Amino acid sequence: MRLRDRRSFTKPQVMIIPMIDIMFFLLVFFMISTLYMVNLKTVDVQLPQAVHAEGQAKVTYVVTMQKDGSLWLEDKPIERDVLIRQAADQQRQNPQFSVVIRADEGLDYGQVMALLDGLKGAGVRHFGLAAHE
């Protein structure tokens, strides 16, 4: 029986390209899966459509107005007067304070304007109206 010569053996190699492919796949998988884990603290409403809607990175208050006129601060119900008073306090503490209003599509426009007017009267200067892209 003839054995192979030791010089004909090749050294073991680490295949780096498949490992890089697997790492990129895992990176993308975890990035996409964490996007769906973000818990939005809002109440579900039917937002109106807008073609030129923009996203906003930092929002201090998200106020939701449901079809029946009820107000929600994030995911908790709140009275209009209490909301305006809290917004005025926040505005005094932080000049960059902003409010985004998520109003239901079927809500009366006058109710949205009344809330905006009350917030403006409280000194809030930065507003946003949420829309579905």
Side-chain angles (χ1 to χ4, degrees):
M1 175 155 105
R2 185 167 186 214
L3 296 176
R4 285 195 245 169
D5 187 17
R6 286 187 168 215
R7 289 177 284 182
S8 67
F9 285 114
T10 59
K11 289 186 178 180
Q13 297 178 358
V14 176
M15 302 294 286
I16 193 84
I17 303 296
M19 287 178 25
I20 292 173
D21 290 344
I22 290 171
M23 293 306 291
F24 277 127
F25 175 76
L26 288 173
L27 177 68
V28 170
F29 173 77
F30 285 116
M31 285 173 52
I32 291 175
S33 64
T34 55
L35 290 175
Y36 293 106
M37 290 181 187
V38 175
N39 184 14
L40 294 176
K41 293 182 179 180
T42 58
V43 178
D44 190 32
V45 291
Q46 184 67 33
L47 293 175
Q49 295 286 332
V51 177
H52 302 289
E54 295 179 13
Q56 185 174 356
K58 179 75 172 102
V59 175
T60 308
Y61 271 13
V62 177
V63 178
T64 304
M65 297 181 76
Q66 288 189 321
K67 203 173 204 173
D68 61 356
S70 62
L71 290 173
W72 295 74
L73 179 60
E74 307 230 343
D75 60 345
K76 296 176 180 65
I78 191 167
E79 294 294 321
R80 183 177 181 273
D81 297 333
V82 175
L83 172 68
I84 291 172
R85 191 170 47 250
Q86 286 180 1
D89 292 340
Q90 289 292 325
Q91 180 64 39
R92 280 192 294 276
Q93 294 173 6
N94 179 9
Q96 298 302 318
F97 175 72
S98 63
V99 176
V100 171
I101 298 174
R102 300 176 67 242
D104 193 280
E105 187 176 35
L107 186 67
D108 180 39
Y109 183 68
Q111 292 179 347
V112 176
M113 285 306 297
L115 179 63
L116 283 172
D117 188 49
L119 289 169
K120 182 137 180 140
V124 178
R125 292 175 289 182
H126 302 280
F127 296 102
L129 296 173
H132 189 269
E133 293 184 75

